[in-house]
Amino acid sequence: YALHNYTVGFSCKRHGQVSSDVLTTPQDDQQQTIRCLFGNTIARELVKLECTSQSLNLQVKGWVTNGNFSQKKTTFILFINGRLVDNSQIKRSVEAVYSVCLPRGGRPWVYMSLTLPAETIDVNVHPTKKEIRMINEAEIVQELRDGLQNCLENANVSRTYEVQTLLPGAEKLANQTENESSTAQLPQHMVRADHTLQQGAMTAYLSSSAGIGNKRRFDDGQLQESSGMTRYAEKCRNTLV
C-alpha cells in the first residue's frame, strides 16, 4: 500500500526498535518510493507502463523491470480500483511476455494498477476478498499483454555486463604464457624407452661410446639374421627344383 499510495508517508517499525523497517515520505515520487521499498537494483531498471482501452473502460498504470533485470521468483503487485488483489491469469500472461526477453529461469518485478467499472468486477470469489474475477477477463488480459509487450519493446535498452579491469602487467604475463605454451613440445610427441629415464637421457646414451658399440652390435646381428634367411630361402628353392 505504501507503493500504491506514494503521496502518503508511511513509517513501520517493530516493537522495541528505534529505526523503521519501512519509511517513505509524501514528497517522493512513485519511482523513488520503489527505491526506498525494494532497493536501487530494481529502481534503476524500471520502465513506466501506461495503456488504456476505450472499449473495455480500462486504464492501466504501473512500473515494470526491463530485460536487464531478472530474479528467481516473480514479484507481481496488482491493484484493481485501489485494492490489492491476486489474479492468476494476469500473472501467467505477464510471465509469458517476459519469458521471451529474460534468461531461462529469470523472473520479473511488476507493479500494475488497473481502473475498471465496479460493476464489471466480482469480488465474491475468495473468503478474504483477495482474488477477483472480471467480466471480459480474456480481453482484459490480452490488452494487458499487448501493452506490456509494447512497453518492453520501446524501452530501448541493451543488456549490461560487469567487467574487471586488468591489473598492471597482467596483459604482458598473459602473452608470455601464451608464447610458452605454443613453443612447448607436447608429451604425445615425445618417446621414451623406459619410464624411469629422464628426458634427453636416451639421446645422451646413444651419443656415448657404449651406445655406439651397442648400436653397431645390433646392426651386425640384424645383418647376420638377414643373410641366414637368404641362404635358407635359396636352399628351399633348390630342393623344389
Side-chain angles (χ1 to χ4, degrees), residues 36-49:
C36 294
L37 297 175
F38 297 95
N40 189 51
T41 303
I42 293 177
R44 67 187 178 194
E45 304 293 350
L46 290 176
V47 180
K48 194 170 185 179
L49 173 65

Side-chain angles (χ1 to χ4, degrees), residues 5-209:
N5 302 283
Y6 62 94
T7 57
V8 179
F10 283 80
S11 177
C12 300
K13 60 182 179 181
R14 300 177 185 178
H15 178 70
Q17 289 187 351
V18 178
S19 59
S20 300
D21 295 332
V22 176
L23 179 61
T24 62
T25 60
Q27 291 79 19
D28 296 336
D29 57 10
Q30 197 168 26
Q31 189 173 7
Q32 182 63 31
T33 302
I34 295 174
R35 180 177 285 105
C36 294
L37 297 175
F38 297 95
N40 189 51
T41 303
I42 293 177
R44 67 187 178 194
E45 304 293 350
L46 290 176
V47 180
K48 194 170 185 179
L49 173 65
E50 288 184 342
C51 62
T52 57
S53 175
Q54 298 294 334
S55 60
L56 298 173
N57 293 326
L58 172 67
Q59 184 178 4
V60 182
K61 294 182 179 180
W63 293 90
V64 298
T65 52
N66 56 31
N68 282 338
F69 177 84
S70 65
Q71 55 188 0
K72 295 182 179 180
K73 188 177 180 181
T74 301
T75 302
F76 183 67
I77 305 172
L78 177 63
F79 279 84
I80 298 182
N81 291 352
R83 185 184 183 92
L84 181 64
V85 296
D86 288 336
N87 188 280
S88 58
Q89 291 192 19
I90 296 178
K91 184 178 180 179
R92 286 196 298 267
S93 178
V94 168
E95 291 177 341
V97 174
Y98 273 98
S99 64
V100 180
C101 58
L102 292 183
R104 185 177 181 180
R107 297 293 184 267
W109 185 97
V110 176
Y111 158 71
M112 287 184 178
S113 176
L114 279 61
T115 303
L116 287 166
E119 60 271 14
T120 63
I121 302 174
D122 182 10
V123 297
N124 296 315
V125 177
H126 195 271
T128 61
K129 312 295 183 182
K130 193 173 183 180
E131 294 183 11
I132 64 166
R133 293 290 182 268
M134 299 172 289
I135 300 177
N136 301 322
E137 187 166 340
E139 290 81 358
I140 293 174
V141 171
Q142 186 61 42
E143 187 70 25
L144 292 174
R145 181 168 183 165
D146 295 340
L148 178 60
Q149 188 170 356
N150 293 332
C151 177
L152 294 176
E153 290 177 353
N154 297 327
N156 194 23
V157 295
S158 59
R159 295 189 181 275
T160 57
Y161 302 89
E162 295 183 359
V163 296
Q164 183 178 2
T165 306
L166 291 176
L167 297 175
E171 185 175 359
K172 182 179 179 180
L173 180 60
N175 295 334
Q176 181 179 356
T177 305
E178 183 178 357
N179 294 333
E180 290 178 355
S181 60
S182 61
T183 57
Q185 190 175 8
L186 300 177
Q188 58 267 28
H189 296 159
M190 302 170 62
V191 178
R192 286 185 291 174
D194 189 355
H195 69 280
T196 60
L197 296 176
Q198 298 296 325
Q199 180 181 356
M202 183 60 69
T203 303
Y205 174 76
L206 292 176
S207 61
S208 64
S209 58

